Amino acid sequence: MNEMTDLETAIELLKQNKVIAIPTETVYGLAANALNDHAVTEIFAIKNRPYFDPLIVHISDIKQVEKYANSFPKKAEKLANAFWPGPLTLILPKNKIISDLVTSGLAYVGLRVPNHPLTLQLLSKLDFPLAAPSANPFGYVSPTSAQHVKDQLGKRVSFILDGGSCEVGLESTIVMFEDDEPVVLRLGGLSIESIETCIGKVKINISSHSKPNSPGQLDKHYATRTPLKYKDELDFTQLNTTRIGAIVFEKTLSFISRENQEVLSPNSSVKEAARNLFAAMRRLDALNLDLIVTEKFPEFGLGSAINDRLNRARG
Ligand code: TXA
Ligand code: MG
């Protein structure tokens, strides 16, 4: 009897409308057949996700867009050609094949071609797209390794396709279009600079609302259980520093013990820092300290998206 490869197992389970975890270049996803409402309902249940928060639909290549979207604005197509597969989600007018459950009743669907060799193979072998939110309990930090998924959802997910650590480490950048003009709804793994080099100036609307366009905009999100604050807002003489952890860019803080610190990029690369951010948040959270302190990262490239995630984790 032949042993099934992991990829074959994944295909088999997805065809049975089961939920599995899949690797992408950004973060791990909790994936199921996007065209089957029963399978999609199971994703919401496992993640404990409110139904008002729509799911991104993952497709194998740009040619699939016309199957699920009614129109493809010029600038959206230009971005897709330039950056797919990659950390970019395009919000496009949905057609009827995509159910209201996936889009939370919105007339738009988020589409993305993820850039991970295993998951691209997987998508090319299925005749349906995959709905997949990040594979974490709602509100918590996204997983960037199979172990992260196992730690929190291992009991609830039937299978985790292990594709190693995520290369990018931050969720995709989300772009919608108002009369063909691009609006960024979530900063992420594709920098604003890269987008603007491709299609010119874009509007950015990532402010949080009680009923957000994109629940990634919710104030408190991507959060650790341990409270997180910026070091500049604290008076350390009043605090027990042995119970404090730190997430820093390039060098350690002198007043906090080394083992409670995560230096995200000793070489001062915001890209490397982005890749390490979520694992660092999880490691410090597991120490059950009183507080995690952090600092502002450089406001360019992925540094802006790192600052966005830290702001939201701080709440
Ligand atoms: O990198 C990523 O985007 C990862 C990987 C797995 O692909 N996925 C991810 O999914 O981060 P999730 O569900 O954790 O975050 C997706 C965000 C949500 O904030 C959701 O509201 C927004 O995308 N979104 C999805 N469909 C949308 C739509 N039709 N209109 C507006 N926002 C949408
Ligand atoms: Mg998420």
Side-chain angles (χ1 to χ4, degrees):
M1 212 180 76
N2 289 334
E3 283 283 320
M4 281 216 271
T5 65
D6 284 355
L7 192 63
E8 286 163 350
T9 305
I11 292 169
E12 207 41 51
L13 290 167
L14 290 167
K15 282 184 175 166
Q16 293 165 20
N17 292 322
K18 297 269 172 36
V19 176
I20 67 166
I22 58 166
T24 83
E25 82 283 28
T26 59
V27 300
Y28 273 71
L30 203 52
N33 181 353
L35 306 182
N36 182 281
D37 275 0
H38 175 79
V40 173
T41 304
E42 194 57 24
I43 295 176
F44 281 96
I46 292 174
K47 215 183 133 83
N48 195 19
R49 181 178 178 113
Y51 282 107
F52 65 72
D53 193 353
L55 305 181
I56 293 172
V57 173
H58 297 71
I59 54 179
S60 58
D61 58 73
I62 191 171
K63 292 192 294 267
Q64 309 296 312
V65 169
E66 63 180 19
K67 289 193 192 164
Y68 310 112
N70 282 333
S71 80
F72 203 177
K74 275 261 148 19
K75 287 183 179 172
E77 197 170 349
K78 208 167 168 198
L79 287 174
N81 275 312
F83 301 115
W84 279 354
L88 167 72
T89 295
L90 297 171
I91 307 291
L92 303 173
K94 82 171 189 79
N95 69 21
K96 333 196 260 292
I97 299 177
I98 300 293
S99 85
D100 286 339
L101 186 62
V102 171
T103 66
S104 302
L106 298 171
Y108 297 85
V109 61
L111 295 177
R112 164 164 128 81
V113 181
N115 190 17
H116 191 287
L118 264 182
T119 294
L120 281 171
Q121 270 192 67
L122 179 64
L123 286 165
S124 72
K125 293 191 164 138
L126 297 169
D127 59 4
F128 49 81
L130 294 175
S134 53
N136 51 280
F138 185 70
Y140 197 71
V141 181
S142 296
T144 51
S145 71
Q147 187 62 46
H148 292 164
V149 181
K150 202 169 170 198
D151 289 344
Q152 288 187 307
L153 297 176
K155 291 207 177 92
R156 308 207 56 193
V157 184
S158 55
F159 183 73
I160 300 170
L161 183 61
D162 191 341
S165 290
C166 301
E167 269 299 305
V168 175
L170 294 175
E171 301 84 351
S172 60
T173 301
I174 301 181
V175 186
M176 72 173 284
F177 297 85
E178 284 171 351
D179 305 322
D180 291 359
E181 281 315 302
V183 183
V184 172
L185 297 182
R186 178 174 74 180
L187 299 179
L190 181 64
S191 71
I192 297 297
E193 291 92 331
S194 303
I195 290 176
E196 292 190 330
T197 302
C198 179
I199 56 167
K201 204 81 193 140
V202 293
K203 262 205 281 184
I204 298 176
N205 177 12
I206 55 166
S207 60
S208 47
H209 314 279
S210 54
K211 187 142 197 317
N213 284 326
S214 178
Q217 296 176 318
L218 286 173
D219 255 348
K220 186 87 176 159
H221 216 74
Y222 310 104
T224 49
R225 273 175 295 267
T226 314
L228 185 138
K229 295 215 181 316
Y230 287 110
K231 66 182 196 309
D232 295 346
E233 57 188 345
L234 299 166
D235 174 3
F236 288 97
T237 61
Q238 304 296 311
L239 296 166
N240 174 4
T241 50
T242 63
R243 299 279 310 145
I244 298 179
I247 295 175
V248 289
F249 182 32
E250 25 185 14
K251 49 180 190 293
T252 52
L253 304 176
S254 59
F255 50 91
I256 291 181
S257 72
R258 183 61 188 93
E259 61 273 21
N260 290 354
Q261 299 200 57
E262 293 286 344
V263 180
L264 299 191
S265 177
N267 324 307
S268 312
S269 151
V270 285
K271 225 170 151 179
E272 182 182 34
R275 188 182 306 137
N276 291 327
L277 176 66
F278 289 157
M281 288 170 79
R282 282 171 180 263
R283 278 194 297 267
L284 288 185
D285 209 15
L287 298 180
N288 291 311
L289 299 165
D290 294 342
L291 183 67
I292 298 169
V293 298
T294 188
E295 58 192 9
K296 293 272 188 224
F297 283 66
E299 267 294 333
F300 61 81
L302 299 195
S304 307
I306 294 174
N307 286 332
D308 172 84
R309 298 303 186 273
L310 290 172
N311 281 333
R312 290 178 207 281
R314 174 174 167 271

